[in-house]
Amino acid sequence: MQLQTTPEIAKDPVCGMDVRNPAGTFVHRGVEYLFCSRGCLEKFRANPEKCLAPEPAVAESSAAAVEYTCPMHPEVVRDRPGPCPICGMALEPKEIVLEESNPELADMQRRFWISAVLTVPLLGFMLWELAAGMQALPAATGWIQLALATPVVLWGGLPFFQRGWASLRSRNLNMFTLIALGTGVSYAFSLFAWMVPGAVPAAFREDMGGVPLYFEPAAVITTLVLLGQVLELRARNRTSHALRSLLEMTPKTARLADPRGGERDVPVEHIHPGNLLRVRPGEKVPVDGVVVEGTSAVDESMITGEPIPAQKEAGARVTAGSVNGSGSFLMKADRVGKDTLLSQIVKMVSQAQRSRAPIQKVADSVAAWFVPVVLAVAAIAFAGWAIWGPDPRLNHAFVAAVAVLIIACPCALGLATPMSIMVGTGRGASAGILVRNAEALELLHKVDTLVVDKTGTLTEGRPRLTSCVLLRNDIAEDELLRLAASLEQASEHPLAHAIVSGARERGLALSKPEEFESFAGKGVRGRVDQQDVIVGTQALMREEKVSGDAASEEAAVFVAVNGKIAGFVRVSDPIKTTAREAIASLHALGIRIVMLSGDHRRTAEAVARELGIDEVEAEVLPARKAEAVKQLQAAGRIVAMAGDGVNDAPALAQAQVGIAMATGTDIAIESAGITLLGGDLRGVVRALELSRATMRNIRQNLVFAFLYNLLGVPVAAGILYPFFGIVLNPMIASAAMTFSSVSVITNALRLRNVRL
């Protein structure tokens, strides 16, 4: 395709500036290029091919420093990976990237496998001892246990000691404080008992006088905790799977159509706004842009959640990552790199994943006292066994205290909420539901009333002119429509666009309006060809004291010329085909539907009856929408507001949860807590189901974490021994502690498969 440059749209091929007054021209391969300065002309003349080739764009992500934060404490931000200074957990990148390299996971895996190899023989010694019924192993094996356990505890468990020591210094006691104490005391006592056995009190010795060694428990506990860290880090990586899948939708190359008429494949990083790109059948759209030539059906389900492909023709927007159907089209790139919708989605959802839900305050308040309480319980358990326990009393006391320290898991409490939020918001993004913050997701499940705007939410938002009716004999139908359309050219209202489009379809020549004045929700006034024209509602006609009868047609848009009503036009906005299904689903979820509309009551009530809406308020001015939401809230309702226009923004901000349609205005989207990429009410149903599933998952996690610690710590302390003779081995306590955190994350990962 040969693209000839014209002076009206010319851009300098060297600097990219608009050329209004050319400083020179140059013809290259049959195409005339214009230049803004002689310097640009000389550069182009010296090497045209280099000037026409797109320059590689440096990806913003490579230039910007990667920041890391903690899922439990998002206020912690660092410029490099490492442990959180509060809870000791590994920090994660604030924004999702395709590269899944995780230095923390690699380090823990290496430590785990080496420790596991060294721990297996220690387990063999323990089983040998149990099978032989011996109270202590032969002296020679002590050296072997020491040699095997030392690298496991001191090298394999080094990160735990480092984080435990850091927690003591910062007074932020956490899980690693307990692990470091449990393993450190076990190893230190065993080393002391092996090196100086005579110094061990008799209360510590076995029945036959042997000195107990805890090298095996110290090593096994360390290895099991390392295993838990590996499993946890792997599971945490999977919580961002949905967002990585979105990023992976963007193709690596694009088909660039250059001004010479040729086409070639280039890396997508080299695409700049304004480039023309060819999208062939079956290919993915590489960047955001506008179709310039051709038609096709494009599958946008991976972004909007809608399974039916959208028809695209010249002037239609296309989004990076969507899949082209059987047609071929030429598009003009306008948003590339981090400016594409996909990248913005990933950024927005990443921020939501790091936000804190109100329900997390419960876990935070418990976690603040958790470690001190556990330390106190360990001390009480030691004292209780030492005073009232069976012989060897100190031996039993030591084991019980270590078991208490090891089994306690504050991380299970801390992870219960953020893991579910991370997975839930990621699942929402893959279904076209963008959550701005965790609070909106939590509040949504409590909503019992949904307030909806009619135009653009229940209807297509693209009204069409259906008829024009005269009420005076001194004006022709086309003239009435021409005057109304000429005045409405200056209005941004959807009804104005329908009137203007209808007039142009009839081939009417429109005039430029003067003294234009707009009345929000009512109509417009001005002068057209020296005539006073008013277009609007019956209420506006009364306010302007226009003569003529307008009572018989409440649903019409009236036109007054020179102070008298001349006629009216009928404009219809078709109801969305999905609206009835969505309303029925919302009713099934127990949601009451209230429709607010600026339209005439007759029109609004007709739509409400057809869709089965519970309550309708018509002829509502923009300021009244927010007031209506306040009244519902004052009546004890938990309100969500769904809308897409500028006039919906105050109501969206007032509602407990604002739900914006991505097909609407930017200000509406900015005012909302949730954005629906699909643009219809079925997305509200999916958002409600996502919120309820996420909150159910959070409650499951919190209940498990609370019960685990509430039951596990007393059992480890020995509360069952007087009744059943059960004493919890510290190694079993370590396995249980590992299971607790991993089970919370695994349960959160189930949200990836929730049906929306």
Side-chain angles (χ1 to χ4, degrees):
M1 177 180 176
Q2 193 78 349
L3 301 174
Q4 298 292 335
T5 304
T6 62
E8 290 77 17
I9 61 171
K11 284 188 179 293
D12 190 309
V14 177
C15 67
M17 299 291 292
D18 290 337
V19 180
R20 303 299 179 189
N21 300 304
T25 63
F26 187 78
V27 177
H28 177 66
R29 296 192 178 185
V31 179
E32 183 182 42
Y33 296 94
L34 280 62
F35 301 89
C36 64
S37 70
R38 296 295 302 177
C40 288
L41 172 60
E42 295 305 323
K43 288 182 181 179
F44 186 87
R45 194 193 305 273
N47 195 339
E49 298 298 335
K50 181 179 179 180
C51 293
L52 289 174
E55 296 181 5
V58 179
E60 292 183 33
S61 59
S62 62
V66 178
E67 291 186 329
Y68 296 82
T69 187
C70 173
M72 286 173 57
H73 302 92
E75 68 275 13
V76 174
V77 179
R78 297 289 185 269
D79 59 0
R80 60 178 60 89
C84 171
I86 299 176
C87 67
M89 292 180 61
L91 301 179
E92 298 177 347
K94 285 187 70 175
E95 294 188 17
I96 304 300
V97 294
L98 277 174
E99 298 77 15
E100 292 192 51
S101 60
N102 189 329
E104 175 81 3
L105 176 58
D107 180 57
M108 289 295 177
Q109 285 184 146
R110 181 172 60 254
R111 292 177 188 272
F112 166 70
W113 285 115
I114 295 174
S115 298
V117 170
L118 296 173
T119 301
V120 168
L122 288 171
L123 285 173
F125 284 125
M126 184 179 67
L127 293 175
W128 175 24
E129 183 178 17
L130 292 174
M134 295 186 299
Q135 297 301 316
L137 289 171
T141 62
W143 289 106
I144 301 175
Q145 292 181 60
L146 176 62
L148 292 172
T150 297
V152 174
V153 176
L154 299 186
W155 175 79
L158 180 61
F160 310 145
F161 290 113
Q162 291 173 332
R163 296 175 191 187
W165 176 244
S167 72
L168 291 173
R169 292 178 59 188
S170 64
R171 298 181 183 178
N172 291 305
L173 305 182
N174 54 48
M175 177 183 77
F176 296 101
T177 314
L178 303 177
I179 293 171
L181 279 174
T183 55
V185 169
S186 298
Y187 178 81
F189 173 82
S190 300
L191 183 62
F192 173 78
W194 175 248
M195 300 299 295
V196 193
V200 177
F204 261 110
R205 297 178 180 273
E206 303 287 352
D207 293 341
M208 299 179 64
V211 178
L213 300 178
Y214 302 103
F215 289 125
E216 302 107 318
V220 171
I221 289 170
T222 301
T223 303
L224 287 174
V225 175
L226 285 169
L227 173 62
Q229 291 294 296
V230 170
L231 295 176
E232 179 183 316
L233 290 167
R234 285 180 178 175
R236 283 166 59 185
N237 272 354
R238 291 199 296 273
T239 61
S240 302
H241 173 76
L243 294 187
R244 287 197 180 93
S245 297
L246 285 176
L247 286 177
E248 289 169 354
M249 291 176 186
T250 306
K252 304 300 181 187
T253 61
R255 188 79 174 171
L256 179 67
D258 60 43
R260 300 185 296 275
E263 295 179 0
R264 56 197 174 96
D265 290 329
V266 298
V268 73
E269 295 84 12
H270 294 184
I271 300 302
H272 296 280
N275 285 156
L276 290 173
L277 308 173
R278 172 70 63 184
V279 182
R280 295 169 291 190
E283 291 184 336
K284 290 183 178 180
V285 177
V287 297
D288 293 358
V290 179
V291 175
V292 175
E293 179 185 284
T295 61
S296 185
V298 178
D299 181 2
E300 298 177 324
S301 60
M302 69 291 297
I303 300 170
T304 65
E306 300 299 331
I308 301 175
Q311 195 66 28
K312 302 292 183 181
E313 54 189 21
R317 290 202 60 80
V318 287
T319 305
S322 54
V323 181
N324 185 26
S326 57
S328 174
F329 60 86
L330 195 69
M331 64 172 287
K332 182 179 181 180
D334 63 2
R335 292 191 296 185
V336 301
K338 285 197 170 184
D339 293 328
T340 64
L341 177 61
L342 268 179
S343 296
Q344 292 300 313
I345 289 173
V346 171
K347 181 178 180 180
M348 179 177 173
V349 178
S350 295
Q351 292 172 346
Q353 290 181 335
R354 308 302 173 192
S355 61
R356 298 173 72 83
I359 195 174
Q360 192 170 343
K361 293 178 182 178
V362 178
D364 290 345
S365 60
V366 173
W369 294 95
F370 188 87
V371 175
V373 169
V374 169
L375 291 173
V377 171
I380 292 170
F382 185 90
W385 280 94
I387 297 171
W388 297 293
D391 291 326
R393 294 180 179 181
L394 290 183
N395 189 354
H396 287 102
F398 184 85
V399 170
V402 170
V404 169
L405 294 174
I406 296 301
I407 200 171
C409 190
C411 275
L413 281 172
L415 289 171
T417 298
M419 288 297 105
S420 297
I421 294 295
M422 288 182 70
V423 182
T425 51
R427 175 66 183 98
S430 65
I433 305 163
L434 302 187
V435 180
R436 184 171 296 279
N437 54 60
E439 183 177 4
L441 189 63
E442 178 178 338
L443 285 174
L444 186 59
H445 91 286
K446 301 178 182 178
V447 165
D448 55 26
T449 303
L450 175 66
V451 176
V452 296
D453 176 52
K454 180 179 76 67
T455 304
T457 304
L458 296 173
T459 63
E460 296 288 348
R462 294 187 294 271
R464 294 182 59 83
L465 179 70
T466 56
S467 63
C468 184
V469 179
L470 295 175
L471 297 177
R472 283 166 42 185
N473 296 326
D474 59 344
I475 188 170
E477 180 180 318
D478 281 355
E479 178 63 9
L480 177 74
L481 180 58
R482 188 189 73 82
L483 291 173
S486 295
L487 183 60
E488 292 282 26
Q489 286 181 106
S491 174
E492 293 296 325
H493 197 281
L495 294 182
H497 291 183
I499 294 170
V500 172
S501 298
R504 285 175 175 164
E505 288 174 3
R506 295 191 184 190
L508 303 180
L510 306 185
S511 301
K512 184 177 180 180
E514 299 175 344
E515 302 176 18
F516 177 83
E517 189 175 0
S518 177
F519 303 91
K522 297 179 181 179
V524 294
R525 179 178 64 186
R527 290 182 61 80
V528 178
D529 297 337
Q530 306 304 314
Q531 300 187 77
D532 293 323
V533 181
I534 302 175
V535 181
T537 64
Q538 181 188 31
L540 180 61
M541 298 299 158
R542 286 197 297 263
E543 289 178 8
E544 295 297 314
K545 297 180 172 53
V546 174
S547 62
D549 183 16
S552 60
E553 286 288 343
E554 291 183 357
V557 178
F558 292 94
V559 183
V561 180
N562 296 325
K564 295 182 179 180
I565 293 179
F568 59 84
V569 295
R570 291 192 183 97
V571 177
S572 65
D573 186 6
I575 294 174
K576 289 182 178 180
T577 57
T578 59
R580 189 174 288 101
E581 173 194 345
I583 295 296
S585 298
L586 288 167
H587 280 151
L589 292 172
I591 305 298
R592 180 176 178 81
I593 314 296
V594 178
M595 185 180 81
L596 302 180
S597 175
D599 287 350
H600 299 281
R601 178 164 299 279
R602 184 181 300 175
T603 302
E605 289 179 347
V607 172
R609 281 194 303 272
E610 184 173 350
L611 294 176
I613 290 173
D614 303 299
E615 184 180 338
V616 59
E617 189 171 340
E619 301 178 9
V620 179
L621 298 179
R624 167 63 190 155
K625 290 187 177 182
E627 186 62 31
V629 172
K630 286 182 182 179
Q631 289 179 352
L632 289 168
Q633 292 170 330
R637 293 282 181 174
I638 308 297
V639 181
M641 167 72 189
D644 67 343
V646 173
N647 59 348
D648 296 324
L652 288 169
Q654 175 62 39
Q656 274 94 345
V657 182
I659 304 174
M661 308 296 176
T663 52
T665 58
D666 289 343
I667 188 171
I669 294 171
E670 288 297 322
S671 302
I674 293 175
T675 300
L676 305 178
L677 296 177
D680 71 61
L681 282 183
R682 289 182 302 175
V684 177
V685 178
R686 290 197 292 266
L688 279 164
E689 291 174 339
L690 174 67
S691 175
R692 294 182 180 188
T694 303
M695 293 310 300
R696 186 165 55 247
N697 192 273
I698 288 174
R699 291 192 187 98
Q700 291 168 354
N701 281 348
L702 286 174
V703 168
F704 174 82
F706 275 119
L707 286 178
Y708 167 83
N709 286 291
L710 192 63
L711 298 176
V713 171
V715 169
I719 196 172
L720 297 180
Y721 182 79
F723 308 102
F724 306 103
I726 296 175
V727 178
L728 191 66
N729 188 295
M731 290 183 285
I732 298 176
S734 176
M737 186 274 296
T738 297
F739 170 76
S740 64
S741 293
V742 174
S743 62
V744 164
I745 300 175
T746 303
N747 186 51
L749 287 172
R750 294 192 306 113
L751 287 171
R752 294 192 303 176
N753 302 317
V754 65
R755 294 189 62 182
L756 298 178

